[in-house]
Amino acid sequence: MPSEEFYVRYYSGHQGRYGHEFIEFELHADGRCRYANNSNYRNDSLIKKEMTVSPLMIKELKRIILDSEVMKEDDHKWPRKSVVGKQELEIRLGNEHISFETAKIGSLVDVQASDDPEGLRVFYYLVEDLRCLVFSLITLHWKVKP
Amino acid sequence: MTDKYEIDLSVRPGDDLQDEEMAETPEVTVKRKGRGFRSGDQRGEDTQGSVFTRLSTTEDTTSGKAMKSVEGWIVLITGVHEEATEDDVNDKFGDFGEIKSIHLNLDRRTGYVKARYPGYALVEYETLSEAQEAINQMNGAKLLDQTLACDFAFIKSNSSSADDRGRRGFTPRNKGNNTGRRTGHSNSPSRH
């Protein structure tokens, strides 16, 4: 199936007392979906899962991204990554390619307090939506808590 | 702050990637934006020695492209009205078999200025025939006056494309350089 260049990748992590703890996932136009979660707390170990989603799922993912209008935003005024950690959102969609990097955001209070609350809110909600989607896929496909 | 520049040596500290893209290299067709492109530090893949695990595919001839999940078959429903409830979905989709679990992911952000969008649902059936029947009957049907699209959520892997970059890591961050700025800059005399 010919389609425009498309993938999404999200990373959130930090270096801390329990080593490098992170979650990361990516979805590609061909349906490949990869997920990794590393938490050393209480001896939890690295989880790495891969699955393939259908074209309808990819279409829905694109809709979510297009509706969010995140491609119009810019991360230059967003909080910089810190010792608390960072988030990265990379999206390639047709001829546009973003790779946004910012600190971890605890809540909408952090969003409001930033220098670009409108843009950061778009990012915050989209990340919520993407995490929700991937967690649903993992939960249903593998019957594990992501 | 120890920002490193991973691959693209033509970028100097202080360069504004976005303006540069637009102003100096109109032949570059991919517009890139964001601090992540300059970040050279660690992501998850550095600690990932193991491979990504996959569910194994059963050798059956009836499921076609559809892929079975651990406990059943997952159907994706898109175009779900923002005010739909789990009961609404259950009423419609329960006709084809018992729904073992349901995830209704609607856009419910409060205080959001724009009109809200329809969402999607994922429902699990125990058998392939139930899931297939739900898809056959409900793809294109309406729920609360909105047209649905239905299909299996998971399909079997096309392993040739799934393995193209190996099974251990994620896609490198700067994939896309080849079609993007590096090509654009290599023949750009203004850089040096």
Side-chain angles (χ1 to χ4, degrees), chain B residues 79 81 142-147:
Chain B
H81 195 284
K142 286 196 167 179
L143 175 68
L144 302 182
D145 246 21
Q146 274 195 181
T147 305

Side-chain angles (χ1 to χ4, degrees), chain B residues 19 23 27 48 63 80 86-87 95 103 106 116 125 127 130 132 145 156 174 177 185:
Chain B
D19 290 350
E27 77 277 17
Q48 293 168 12
S63 59
V80 178
E86 287 197 7
D87 282 347
D95 290 349
H103 285 221
L106 301 179
R116 293 191 291 181
Y125 292 100
T127 69
E130 290 166 344
Q132 187 66 65
D145 246 21
K156 290 173 185 136
N174 287 318
N177 256 348
H185 280 283

Side-chain angles (χ1 to χ4, degrees), chain A residues 114-146:
Chain A
S114 78
D115 292 335
D116 178 22
E118 287 184 17
L120 198 55
R121 187 180 300 115
V122 167
F123 173 85
Y124 178 81
Y125 278 127
L126 176 62
V127 164
E128 294 273 297
D129 285 349
L130 295 177
R131 291 174 73 122
C132 180
L133 187 153
V134 170
F135 289 177
S136 282
L137 292 175
I138 299 276
T139 306
L140 286 164
H141 195 54
W142 297 86
K143 293 290 168 177
V144 295
K145 288 217 189 300

Side-chain angles (χ1 to χ4, degrees), chain A residues 11-23 38-44 83-85 104, chain B residues 42-44 47:
Chain A
Y11 164 93
S12 173
H14 65 272
Q15 295 278 358
R17 190 175 359 162
Y18 300 102
H20 184 202
E21 298 185 283
F22 65 91
I23 74 154
N38 190 42
S39 167
N40 300 318
Y41 180 64
R42 291 182 181 165
N43 297 320
D44 279 357
V83 287
V84 180
K104 287 194 185 182
Chain B
Q42 188 181 34
R43 279 192 346 218
T47 55

Side-chain angles (χ1 to χ4, degrees), chain B:
Chain B
M1 182 74 60
T2 54
D3 279 340
K4 287 189 304 185
Y5 298 98
E6 224 175 12
I7 296 172
D8 192 338
L9 299 173
S10 69
V11 178
R12 294 175 304 220
D15 274 353
D16 187 322
L17 296 187
Q18 191 191 354
D19 290 350
E20 203 178 84
E21 293 282 303
M22 311 262 212
E24 288 185 27
T25 56
E27 77 277 17
V28 174
T29 51
V30 179
K31 280 190 284 180
R32 303 177 85 196
K33 188 165 62 174
R35 295 190 294 229
F37 289 113
R38 298 203 226 177
S39 180
D41 54 18
Q42 188 181 34
R43 279 192 346 218
E45 74 267 26
D46 293 353
T47 55
Q48 293 168 12
S50 57
V51 296
F52 285 85
T53 53
R54 264 189 174 276
L55 291 183
S56 51
T57 348
T58 47
E59 289 301 322
D60 64 82
T61 49
T62 48
S63 59
K65 283 188 157 186
M67 173 80 189
K68 187 179 187 293
S69 298
V70 164
E71 290 179 1
W73 299 81
I74 316 298
V75 172
L76 168 66
I77 307 154
T78 66
V80 178
H81 195 284
E82 72 199 37
E83 287 169 9
T85 63
E86 287 197 7
D87 282 347
D88 293 328
V89 178
N90 254 310
D91 282 351
K92 287 271 186 186
F93 286 81
D95 290 349
F96 312 103
E98 187 198 342
I99 294 177
K100 296 177 68 195
S101 51
I102 177 168
H103 285 221
L104 181 59
N105 296 345
L106 301 179
D107 184 348
R108 295 202 191 278
R109 39 189 93 154
T110 50
Y112 203 57
V113 274
K114 287 183 297 190
R116 293 191 291 181
Y117 302 102
Y120 63 95
L122 292 154
V123 299
E124 178 184 7
Y125 292 100
E126 184 166 356
T127 69
L128 173 64
S129 58
E130 290 166 344
Q132 187 66 65
E133 188 62 11
I135 291 165
N136 293 347
Q137 298 294 321
M138 297 304 290
N139 188 30
K142 286 196 167 179
L143 175 68
L144 302 182
D145 246 21
Q146 274 195 181
T147 305
L148 305 175
C150 303
D151 203 351
F152 289 101
F154 299 100
I155 57 174
K156 290 173 185 136
S157 140
N158 174 357
S159 59
S160 61
S161 71
D163 288 337
D164 61 352
R165 275 179 290 272
R167 300 290 289 273
R168 288 167 198 278
F170 285 91
T171 305
R173 181 189 288 102
N174 287 318
K175 176 184 183 287
N177 256 348
N178 293 335
T179 51
R181 42 184 303 106
R182 289 194 80 198
T183 331
H185 280 283
S186 61
N187 52 13
S188 167
S190 65
R191 300 302 309 151
H192 296 289

